[in-house]
Every structure is written in structure tokens, then in C-alpha cells.
Amino acid sequence: MSMRGQFITFEGTEGVGKSTQLANASRTLEELGVDYIVTREPGGTPMAEAIRELLLAPRDEPVNEITELLLMFAARAQHLHTRILPAINAGQWVLCDRFTDATFAYQGGGRGVPKERIALLENLVQGEVRPDHVILLDAPVATGMARARDRGELDRFEQEDLEFFQRIRDVYRERAIAQPSRYQVVNAARSLEEVSGAVSGLLSEWVTQSAVR
Ligand code: Z5A
């Protein structure tokens, strides 16, 4: 088994099943005897979770898109450097609910921030670090919304309309097409059993690959 852990992120529009699949992926890694942590963005450390609360709280004051972008990367800098990288360097696998692909999709596609500006911050905060694998759970926006919105109160992002989430889905899909070696697009509109089977299959494959490296 290679010493460096793998960095795997889960992405997709609202309610596609990321939390559900993180739990499934955790069970799979446990069965395979892989040491791992589960974390999320924005968040993952006490300070980054405090920034998450700032970002998600519905508020009357309009939020400038650059303020939102900088807060996402402020949380990410703290999370990446104090939690994710130490884990990977210690040989642990990191399963992360969202990462910088979400910034390109939400702040880029959703809010309209040019992707070059996002890329500048990505390089500043991450240097060369990128996820080893991105699992994009892809389903029609309405499917995810219908699954998620039984939960009650909506956060600041969930209050956006269908077109906002459609633009986000489009950016995710474009990024997956542009970098097929890093992205695995999983059809998340299928039954829970089918989606879980697909995600577990990918993890098993990556564990096998890392063992022969
Ligand atoms: N954000 C951003 O703007 N920029 C960034 O850089 C980052 C984030 C990192 C918080 O994200 C917000 O931050 C997010 C983007 C923004 N806002 N939005 N929207 P989050 O990940 O915490 O929140 P979320 O996207 O709203 O996730 P979610 O609603 O919790 O959904 P999920 O984790 O993908 O889904 P789930 O909880 O696993 O499943 C939803 C329900 O569907 C649940 O009842 C399941 O049992 C059910 N489910 C799951 N899979 C299936 C299948 N296959 N069939 C049927 N039912 C299913």
C-alpha cells in the first residue's frame, strides 16, 4: 500500500446524495481495511465550520460574490493545511464532501465569477494540490431538490432558483468532460442500491490500484 493517502471528493448539485454516498464510501473503506477520515467543505475544522455558518446563514444584507468567494477559500486554506494534508501525508485517505470544484460550479457558474479569478485563488491556497479523484453525483436538478427539500428550513444557497442550480450542474459536467482521468460521473438519479454499488466499485478499484503502486 502506498504511504500517501488518496484525496477523494464528492460533488454535485443539492440533494443528489453526497452525504449518503460518503457514508457508503466509509463503509467500503472500512471493509477494505483502509485508514480514512471523512470531512466536508466549507468546514472540517472548528474555524472553518465557523466560516461555514457565516456563509450559509440566510441574511437580509446582500452578500457580495467576492466576499462569498474569499470566505470559501479562507475556510479551505484552514481545512486543507491543518486537516486534509496532514491526514494524507500520514497515509490516511480523505473523503471530502465538496471541494474547489464546488467553487467553480457555485461561485463561477452560479454567481458568475470569472473562472480565471477562482483559479488564481485555487493556486494561492492549494499550490499544486488537487483531489486524486472526484466523484460527480449527477442527476437532474429537480430530482436532487425534491430529495433535499423535505428537510424544512432552507440555507442561503438552497433559497436560489432552478436556473441557478442548472448552471451549476452544467459547470460540473463541463469540468468532468475536460478532465476525464480525474472525474467519475455517477448517474445519481438511479436507486440508492445502484448508486451505492457504483461508488463502492470505484473505491475498491482505487484501493487495488494504490496497493500495486
Ligand atoms: N458551496 C459553495 O457555494 N462553494 C463551495 O466552494 C463549497 C460549497 C465547498 C453547503 O453544501 C453549501 O455550500 C452548498 C454549496 C455551497 N449549497 N447548496 N445547495 P452542502 O454539501 O453541505 O449542502 P447540500 O449540497 O445542500 O447537500 P445536501 O442537500 O445535504 O445533499 P446531499 O448530501 O447531496 O444529499 P443527501 O443528504 O445524501 O440526500 C438527500 C436525500 O435524498 C436524503 O433523504 C437521502 O436519503 C435521499 N437519497 C440519497 N440518494 C438517493 C437515491 N439514490 N435515491 C433516492 N433517494 C436518495
Side-chain angles (χ1 to χ4, degrees), residues 14-20 41-42 52 56 72 76 97-99 102-103 106-107 147-148 151 157-158 165 188 190-192 195:
E14 188 201 0
V16 284
K18 294 181 310 305
S19 311
T20 308
E41 290 227 338
R52 178 189 177 92
L56 297 194
M72 287 294 172
R76 180 160 303 135
D97 192 341
R98 298 193 184 281
F99 195 65
T103 314
Y106 279 76
Q107 281 63 54
R147 285 179 189 167
R151 279 184 307 214
F157 290 95
E158 289 167 346
F165 289 102
R190 294 174 293 172
S191 72
L192 190 51
V195 180

mmCIF file of all heavy atoms in Angstrom, residues 14-20 41-42 52 56 72 76 97-99 102-103 106-107 147-148 151 157-158 165 188 190-192 195, ligand 1:
data_model
loop_
_atom_site.group_PDB
_atom_site.id
_atom_site.type_symbol
_atom_site.label_atom_id
_atom_site.label_comp_id
_atom_site.label_asym_id
_atom_site.label_seq_id
_atom_site.Cartn_x
_atom_site.Cartn_y
_atom_site.Cartn_z
ATOM 1 N N GLU A 14 -27.438 20.195 -5.216
ATOM 2 C CA GLU A 14 -28.135 19.965 -3.951
ATOM 3 C C GLU A 14 -28.948 18.651 -3.944
ATOM 4 O O GLU A 14 -29.673 18.362 -4.897
ATOM 5 C CB GLU A 14 -29.107 21.144 -3.761
ATOM 6 C CG GLU A 14 -29.783 21.187 -2.441
ATOM 7 C CD GLU A 14 -31.056 22.022 -2.523
ATOM 8 O OE1 GLU A 14 -31.379 22.533 -3.597
ATOM 9 O OE2 GLU A 14 -31.721 22.103 -1.509
ATOM 10 N N GLY A 15 -28.785 17.890 -2.876
ATOM 11 C CA GLY A 15 -29.639 16.722 -2.657
ATOM 12 C C GLY A 15 -29.383 15.518 -3.544
ATOM 13 O O GLY A 15 -30.164 14.566 -3.539
ATOM 14 N N VAL A 16 -28.257 15.515 -4.289
ATOM 15 C CA VAL A 16 -28.010 14.368 -5.177
ATOM 16 C C VAL A 16 -27.598 13.114 -4.420
ATOM 17 O O VAL A 16 -27.589 12.030 -4.981
ATOM 18 C CB VAL A 16 -26.943 14.656 -6.269
ATOM 19 C CG1 VAL A 16 -27.506 15.499 -7.374
ATOM 20 C CG2 VAL A 16 -25.686 15.235 -5.678
ATOM 21 N N GLY A 17 -27.211 13.282 -3.141
ATOM 22 C CA GLY A 17 -26.870 12.097 -2.341
ATOM 23 C C GLY A 17 -25.424 12.060 -1.882
ATOM 24 O O GLY A 17 -24.900 10.972 -1.581
ATOM 25 N N LYS A 18 -24.772 13.205 -1.772
ATOM 26 C CA LYS A 18 -23.365 13.208 -1.357
ATOM 27 C C LYS A 18 -23.188 12.641 0.061
ATOM 28 O O LYS A 18 -22.340 11.791 0.273
ATOM 29 C CB LYS A 18 -22.784 14.624 -1.411
ATOM 30 C CG LYS A 18 -22.711 15.190 -2.832
ATOM 31 C CD LYS A 18 -22.125 16.570 -2.861
ATOM 32 C CE LYS A 18 -22.759 17.517 -1.871
ATOM 33 N NZ LYS A 18 -24.235 17.665 -1.955
ATOM 34 N N SER A 19 -23.995 13.128 1.004
ATOM 35 C CA SER A 19 -23.849 12.639 2.389
ATOM 36 C C SER A 19 -24.112 11.136 2.448
ATOM 37 O O SER A 19 -23.387 10.395 3.124
ATOM 38 C CB SER A 19 -24.842 13.340 3.323
ATOM 39 O OG SER A 19 -24.790 14.713 3.121
ATOM 40 N N THR A 20 -25.132 10.705 1.730
ATOM 41 C CA THR A 20 -25.478 9.283 1.707
ATOM 42 C C THR A 20 -24.307 8.472 1.145
ATOM 43 O O THR A 20 -23.936 7.422 1.691
ATOM 44 C CB THR A 20 -26.727 9.073 0.810
ATOM 45 O OG1 THR A 20 -27.750 9.964 1.245
ATOM 46 C CG2 THR A 20 -27.212 7.645 0.842
ATOM 47 N N GLU A 41 -16.649 20.519 3.104
ATOM 48 C CA GLU A 41 -16.404 21.940 2.830
ATOM 49 C C GLU A 41 -17.720 22.650 2.520
ATOM 50 O O GLU A 41 -18.594 22.037 1.908
ATOM 51 C CB GLU A 41 -15.466 22.084 1.634
ATOM 52 C CG GLU A 41 -14.066 21.646 1.955
ATOM 53 C CD GLU A 41 -12.999 22.631 1.501
ATOM 54 O OE1 GLU A 41 -13.275 23.430 0.588
ATOM 55 O OE2 GLU A 41 -11.907 22.598 2.056
ATOM 56 N N PRO A 42 -17.889 23.937 2.824
ATOM 57 C CA PRO A 42 -16.975 24.623 3.713
ATOM 58 C C PRO A 42 -17.067 24.009 5.101
ATOM 59 O O PRO A 42 -18.134 23.605 5.530
ATOM 60 C CB PRO A 42 -17.472 26.078 3.693
ATOM 61 C CG PRO A 42 -18.896 26.009 3.234
ATOM 62 C CD PRO A 42 -19.017 24.796 2.394
ATOM 63 N N ARG A 52 -18.298 28.454 7.761
ATOM 64 C CA ARG A 52 -19.461 27.829 7.107
ATOM 65 C C ARG A 52 -20.771 28.453 7.613
ATOM 66 O O ARG A 52 -21.674 28.747 6.823
ATOM 67 C CB ARG A 52 -19.450 26.318 7.388
ATOM 68 C CG ARG A 52 -20.655 25.572 6.801
ATOM 69 C CD ARG A 52 -20.736 24.125 7.282
ATOM 70 N NE ARG A 52 -21.918 23.469 6.761
ATOM 71 C CZ ARG A 52 -21.963 22.772 5.639
ATOM 72 N NH1 ARG A 52 -20.882 22.613 4.904
ATOM 73 N NH2 ARG A 52 -23.084 22.228 5.214
ATOM 74 N N LEU A 56 -23.606 30.145 5.215
ATOM 75 C CA LEU A 56 -24.897 29.508 4.930
ATOM 76 C C LEU A 56 -26.098 30.252 5.536
ATOM 77 O O LEU A 56 -27.224 30.100 5.048
ATOM 78 C CB LEU A 56 -24.917 28.052 5.415
ATOM 79 C CG LEU A 56 -23.931 27.090 4.753
ATOM 80 C CD1 LEU A 56 -24.303 25.643 5.066
ATOM 81 C CD2 LEU A 56 -23.862 27.256 3.236
ATOM 82 N N MET A 72 -15.059 31.237 1.131
ATOM 83 C CA MET A 72 -14.908 29.824 0.756
ATOM 84 C C MET A 72 -13.436 29.436 0.798
ATOM 85 O O MET A 72 -13.063 28.394 1.341
ATOM 86 C CB MET A 72 -15.441 29.559 -0.662
ATOM 87 C CG MET A 72 -16.932 29.575 -0.805
ATOM 88 S SD MET A 72 -17.716 28.221 0.095
ATOM 89 C CE MET A 72 -19.449 28.718 -0.104
ATOM 90 N N ARG A 76 -11.202 27.041 3.197
ATOM 91 C CA ARG A 76 -10.441 25.951 2.537
ATOM 92 C C ARG A 76 -8.972 25.966 2.945
ATOM 93 O O ARG A 76 -8.384 24.898 3.160
ATOM 94 C CB ARG A 76 -10.585 26.099 1.012
ATOM 95 C CG ARG A 76 -9.863 25.055 0.197
ATOM 96 C CD ARG A 76 -10.433 24.986 -1.205
ATOM 97 N NE ARG A 76 -11.852 24.712 -1.150
ATOM 98 C CZ ARG A 76 -12.775 25.346 -1.884
ATOM 99 N NH1 ARG A 76 -12.435 26.267 -2.758
ATOM 100 N NH2 ARG A 76 -14.059 25.042 -1.747
ATOM 101 N N ASP A 97 -16.680 15.933 1.415
ATOM 102 C CA ASP A 97 -17.955 16.386 0.846
ATOM 103 C C ASP A 97 -17.728 17.781 0.274
ATOM 104 O O ASP A 97 -17.649 18.741 1.034
ATOM 105 C CB ASP A 97 -18.995 16.419 1.986
ATOM 106 C CG ASP A 97 -20.419 16.600 1.493
ATOM 107 O OD1 ASP A 97 -20.605 17.051 0.348
ATOM 108 O OD2 ASP A 97 -21.345 16.303 2.278
ATOM 109 N N ARG A 98 -17.532 17.871 -1.032
ATOM 110 C CA ARG A 98 -17.256 19.108 -1.786
ATOM 111 C C ARG A 98 -15.827 19.605 -1.572
ATOM 112 O O ARG A 98 -15.234 19.445 -0.503
ATOM 113 C CB ARG A 98 -18.212 20.239 -1.417
ATOM 114 C CG ARG A 98 -19.662 19.964 -1.702
ATOM 115 C CD ARG A 98 -20.455 21.261 -1.589
ATOM 116 N NE ARG A 98 -21.883 21.059 -1.764
ATOM 117 C CZ ARG A 98 -22.487 20.916 -2.932
ATOM 118 N NH1 ARG A 98 -21.789 20.938 -4.037
ATOM 119 N NH2 ARG A 98 -23.792 20.753 -2.998
ATOM 120 N N PHE A 99 -15.316 20.273 -2.608
ATOM 121 C CA PHE A 99 -14.020 20.969 -2.545
ATOM 122 C C PHE A 99 -14.053 22.038 -3.641
ATOM 123 O O PHE A 99 -15.125 22.572 -3.953
ATOM 124 C CB PHE A 99 -12.869 19.938 -2.689
ATOM 125 C CG PHE A 99 -11.515 20.443 -2.286
ATOM 126 C CD1 PHE A 99 -11.242 20.799 -0.974
ATOM 127 C CD2 PHE A 99 -10.497 20.592 -3.227
ATOM 128 C CE1 PHE A 99 -9.992 21.287 -0.598
ATOM 129 C CE2 PHE A 99 -9.243 21.070 -2.870
ATOM 130 C CZ PHE A 99 -8.993 21.418 -1.553
ATOM 131 N N ALA A 102 -16.648 22.689 -6.363
ATOM 132 C CA ALA A 102 -17.902 23.359 -5.964
ATOM 133 C C ALA A 102 -17.778 24.873 -6.120
ATOM 134 O O ALA A 102 -18.758 25.554 -6.433
ATOM 135 C CB ALA A 102 -18.251 23.004 -4.515
ATOM 136 N N THR A 103 -16.576 25.410 -5.916
ATOM 137 C CA THR A 103 -16.391 26.863 -6.072
ATOM 138 C C THR A 103 -16.514 27.242 -7.547
ATOM 139 O O THR A 103 -17.149 28.251 -7.891
ATOM 140 C CB THR A 103 -15.014 27.284 -5.517
ATOM 141 O OG1 THR A 103 -14.822 26.663 -4.248
ATOM 142 C CG2 THR A 103 -14.926 28.786 -5.377
ATOM 143 N N TYR A 106 -20.433 26.726 -8.125
ATOM 144 C CA TYR A 106 -21.382 27.627 -7.440
ATOM 145 C C TYR A 106 -21.009 29.098 -7.620
ATOM 146 O O TYR A 106 -21.836 29.910 -8.034
ATOM 147 C CB TYR A 106 -21.474 27.288 -5.943
ATOM 148 C CG TYR A 106 -22.378 26.118 -5.657
ATOM 149 C CD1 TYR A 106 -21.959 24.814 -5.906
ATOM 150 C CD2 TYR A 106 -23.661 26.299 -5.155
ATOM 151 C CE1 TYR A 106 -22.785 23.736 -5.653
ATOM 152 C CE2 TYR A 106 -24.494 25.214 -4.897
ATOM 153 C CZ TYR A 106 -24.046 23.941 -5.148
ATOM 154 O OH TYR A 106 -24.871 22.867 -4.908
ATOM 155 N N GLN A 107 -19.743 29.449 -7.270
ATOM 156 C CA GLN A 107 -19.369 30.869 -7.374
ATOM 157 C C GLN A 107 -19.118 31.227 -8.856
ATOM 158 O O GLN A 107 -19.413 32.342 -9.278
ATOM 159 C CB GLN A 107 -18.125 31.166 -6.524
ATOM 160 C CG GLN A 107 -18.418 31.327 -5.034
ATOM 161 C CD GLN A 107 -18.979 30.073 -4.374
ATOM 162 O OE1 GLN A 107 -18.375 29.002 -4.471
ATOM 163 N NE2 GLN A 107 -20.135 30.182 -3.740
ATOM 164 N N ARG A 147 -35.465 15.596 -3.390
ATOM 165 C CA ARG A 147 -34.953 14.744 -2.311
ATOM 166 C C ARG A 147 -34.575 15.575 -1.086
ATOM 167 O O ARG A 147 -34.801 15.165 0.046
ATOM 168 C CB ARG A 147 -33.703 13.987 -2.791
ATOM 169 C CG ARG A 147 -34.009 12.844 -3.735
ATOM 170 C CD ARG A 147 -32.690 12.196 -4.144
ATOM 171 N NE ARG A 147 -32.871 11.222 -5.210
ATOM 172 C CZ ARG A 147 -31.863 10.713 -5.898
ATOM 173 N NH1 ARG A 147 -30.627 11.088 -5.649
ATOM 174 N NH2 ARG A 147 -32.092 9.821 -6.840
ATOM 175 N N ALA A 148 -33.965 16.762 -1.347
ATOM 176 C CA ALA A 148 -33.408 17.549 -0.238
ATOM 177 C C ALA A 148 -34.454 18.376 0.493
ATOM 178 O O ALA A 148 -34.307 18.651 1.677
ATOM 179 C CB ALA A 148 -32.306 18.459 -0.760
ATOM 180 N N ARG A 151 -36.515 18.518 4.048
ATOM 181 C CA ARG A 151 -35.854 18.735 5.330
ATOM 182 C C ARG A 151 -36.312 19.969 6.090
ATOM 183 O O ARG A 151 -35.954 20.145 7.243
ATOM 184 C CB ARG A 151 -34.338 18.849 5.103
ATOM 185 C CG ARG A 151 -33.679 17.516 4.958
ATOM 186 C CD ARG A 151 -32.201 17.671 4.825
ATOM 187 N NE ARG A 151 -31.865 18.594 3.764
ATOM 188 C CZ ARG A 151 -30.785 18.480 2.996
ATOM 189 N NH1 ARG A 151 -29.948 17.504 3.180
ATOM 190 N NH2 ARG A 151 -30.538 19.350 2.047
ATOM 191 N N PHE A 157 -27.977 29.173 0.148
ATOM 192 C CA PHE A 157 -27.833 28.650 -1.212
ATOM 193 C C PHE A 157 -29.112 27.951 -1.665
ATOM 194 O O PHE A 157 -29.528 28.084 -2.811
ATOM 195 C CB PHE A 157 -26.641 27.680 -1.283
ATOM 196 C CG PHE A 157 -25.317 28.380 -1.151
ATOM 197 C CD1 PHE A 157 -24.695 28.485 0.083
ATOM 198 C CD2 PHE A 157 -24.710 28.973 -2.249
ATOM 199 C CE1 PHE A 157 -23.485 29.154 0.221
ATOM 200 C CE2 PHE A 157 -23.503 29.646 -2.120
ATOM 201 C CZ PHE A 157 -22.882 29.742 -0.886
ATOM 202 N N GLU A 158 -29.713 27.225 -0.740
ATOM 203 C CA GLU A 158 -30.914 26.461 -1.106
ATOM 204 C C GLU A 158 -32.087 27.370 -1.480
ATOM 205 O O GLU A 158 -33.066 26.901 -2.056
ATOM 206 C CB GLU A 158 -31.306 25.541 0.058
ATOM 207 C CG GLU A 158 -30.319 24.390 0.237
ATOM 208 C CD GLU A 158 -30.478 23.639 1.556
ATOM 209 O OE1 GLU A 158 -31.166 24.158 2.466
ATOM 210 O OE2 GLU A 158 -29.900 22.550 1.679
ATOM 211 N N PHE A 165 -29.192 26.419 -10.072
ATOM 212 C CA PHE A 165 -28.664 25.061 -9.904
ATOM 213 C C PHE A 165 -28.402 24.388 -11.254
ATOM 214 O O PHE A 165 -27.527 23.537 -11.363
ATOM 215 C CB PHE A 165 -29.605 24.224 -9.033
ATOM 216 C CG PHE A 165 -29.568 24.663 -7.597
ATOM 217 C CD1 PHE A 165 -30.582 25.444 -7.068
ATOM 218 C CD2 PHE A 165 -28.490 24.354 -6.781
ATOM 219 C CE1 PHE A 165 -30.528 25.882 -5.753
ATOM 220 C CE2 PHE A 165 -28.425 24.790 -5.468
ATOM 221 C CZ PHE A 165 -29.446 25.559 -4.953
ATOM 222 N N ALA A 188 -26.703 9.630 -10.534
ATOM 223 C CA ALA A 188 -27.283 9.594 -9.186
ATOM 224 C C ALA A 188 -28.803 9.604 -9.201
ATOM 225 O O ALA A 188 -29.433 9.635 -8.139
ATOM 226 C CB ALA A 188 -26.755 10.785 -8.377
ATOM 227 N N ARG A 190 -30.435 7.120 -10.210
ATOM 228 C CA ARG A 190 -30.837 5.711 -10.057
ATOM 229 C C ARG A 190 -31.167 5.404 -8.594
ATOM 230 O O ARG A 190 -31.048 6.263 -7.721
ATOM 231 C CB ARG A 190 -29.692 4.804 -10.530
ATOM 232 C CG ARG A 190 -29.423 4.912 -12.020
ATOM 233 C CD ARG A 190 -28.197 4.117 -12.405
ATOM 234 N NE ARG A 190 -26.986 4.680 -11.844
ATOM 235 C CZ ARG A 190 -25.788 4.109 -11.885
ATOM 236 N NH1 ARG A 190 -25.657 2.912 -12.427
ATOM 237 N NH2 ARG A 190 -24.741 4.699 -11.366
ATOM 238 N N SER A 191 -31.551 4.156 -8.341
ATOM 239 C CA SER A 191 -31.910 3.769 -6.971
ATOM 240 C C SER A 191 -30.678 3.859 -6.071
ATOM 241 O O SER A 191 -29.535 3.816 -6.546
ATOM 242 C CB SER A 191 -32.438 2.329 -6.947
ATOM 243 O OG SER A 191 -31.354 1.442 -7.165
ATOM 244 N N LEU A 192 -30.937 3.960 -4.782
ATOM 245 C CA LEU A 192 -29.857 4.032 -3.800
ATOM 246 C C LEU A 192 -28.890 2.851 -3.946
ATOM 247 O O LEU A 192 -27.667 3.017 -3.886
ATOM 248 C CB LEU A 192 -30.498 4.046 -2.404
ATOM 249 C CG LEU A 192 -29.619 4.342 -1.215
ATOM 250 C CD1 LEU A 192 -28.819 5.614 -1.446
ATOM 251 C CD2 LEU A 192 -30.496 4.503 0.023
ATOM 252 N N VAL A 195 -26.626 3.340 -7.082
ATOM 253 C CA VAL A 195 -25.626 4.405 -6.912
ATOM 254 C C VAL A 195 -24.552 3.929 -5.925
ATOM 255 O O VAL A 195 -23.347 4.083 -6.168
ATOM 256 C CB VAL A 195 -26.289 5.715 -6.420
ATOM 257 C CG1 VAL A 195 -25.247 6.810 -6.255
ATOM 258 C CG2 VAL A 195 -27.382 6.169 -7.387
HETATM 259 N N1 Z5A B 1 -20.674 25.740 -1.564
HETATM 260 C C1 Z5A B 1 -20.275 26.725 -2.446
HETATM 261 O O1 Z5A B 1 -21.089 27.541 -2.864
HETATM 262 N N2 Z5A B 1 -18.967 26.792 -2.824
HETATM 263 C C2 Z5A B 1 -18.025 25.924 -2.367
HETATM 264 O O2 Z5A B 1 -16.847 26.041 -2.721
HETATM 265 C C3 Z5A B 1 -18.458 24.898 -1.452
HETATM 266 C C4 Z5A B 1 -19.792 24.835 -1.077
HETATM 267 C C5 Z5A B 1 -17.444 23.930 -0.913
HETATM 268 C C6 Z5A B 1 -23.267 23.617 1.538
HETATM 269 O O3 Z5A B 1 -23.038 22.413 0.925
HETATM 270 C C7 Z5A B 1 -23.430 24.697 0.515
HETATM 271 O O4 Z5A B 1 -22.161 25.341 0.239
HETATM 272 C C8 Z5A B 1 -23.898 24.156 -0.799
HETATM 273 C C9 Z5A B 1 -22.915 24.673 -1.835
HETATM 274 C C10 Z5A B 1 -22.099 25.683 -1.124
HETATM 275 N N3 Z5A B 1 -25.193 24.655 -1.011
HETATM 276 N N4 Z5A B 1 -26.102 24.162 -1.646
HETATM 277 N N5 Z5A B 1 -27.043 23.848 -2.150
HETATM 278 P P1 Z5A B 1 -23.600 21.025 1.468
HETATM 279 O O5 Z5A B 1 -22.893 19.986 0.665
HETATM 280 O O6 Z5A B 1 -23.485 20.944 2.926
HETATM 281 O O7 Z5A B 1 -25.171 21.092 1.145
HETATM 282 P P2 Z5A B 1 -26.009 20.479 0.019
HETATM 283 O O8 Z5A B 1 -25.428 20.458 -1.338
HETATM 284 O O9 Z5A B 1 -27.243 21.240 0.152
HETATM 285 O O10 Z5A B 1 -26.062 18.953 0.381
HETATM 286 P P3 Z5A B 1 -27.317 18.191 0.818
HETATM 287 O O11 Z5A B 1 -28.558 18.920 0.494
HETATM 288 O O12 Z5A B 1 -27.086 17.803 2.249
HETATM 289 O O13 Z5A B 1 -27.420 16.993 -0.140
HETATM 290 P P4 Z5A B 1 -26.620 15.658 -0.345
HETATM 291 O O14 Z5A B 1 -25.628 15.419 0.755
HETATM 292 O O15 Z5A B 1 -26.095 15.640 -1.707
HETATM 293 O O16 Z5A B 1 -27.790 14.588 -0.254
HETATM 294 P P5 Z5A B 1 -28.171 13.526 0.887
HETATM 295 O O17 Z5A B 1 -28.418 14.223 2.200
HETATM 296 O O18 Z5A B 1 -27.240 12.379 0.876
HETATM 297 O O19 Z5A B 1 -29.541 13.003 0.278
HETATM 298 C C11 Z5A B 1 -30.701 13.807 0.232
HETATM 299 C C12 Z5A B 1 -31.942 12.906 0.454
HETATM 300 O O20 Z5A B 1 -32.073 12.030 -0.674
HETATM 301 C C13 Z5A B 1 -31.866 12.013 1.685
HETATM 302 O O21 Z5A B 1 -33.137 11.913 2.236
HETATM 303 C C14 Z5A B 1 -31.413 10.657 1.114
HETATM 304 O O22 Z5A B 1 -31.847 9.582 1.899
HETATM 305 C C15 Z5A B 1 -32.063 10.665 -0.242
HETATM 306 N N6 Z5A B 1 -31.321 9.911 -1.271
HETATM 307 C C16 Z5A B 1 -29.981 9.859 -1.447
HETATM 308 N N7 Z5A B 1 -29.675 9.092 -2.518
HETATM 309 C C17 Z5A B 1 -30.844 8.662 -3.039
HETATM 310 C C18 Z5A B 1 -31.185 7.822 -4.152
HETATM 311 N N8 Z5A B 1 -30.257 7.314 -4.989
HETATM 312 N N9 Z5A B 1 -32.490 7.615 -4.398
HETATM 313 C C19 Z5A B 1 -33.444 8.164 -3.603
HETATM 314 N N10 Z5A B 1 -33.198 8.942 -2.521
HETATM 315 C C20 Z5A B 1 -31.905 9.188 -2.239
#
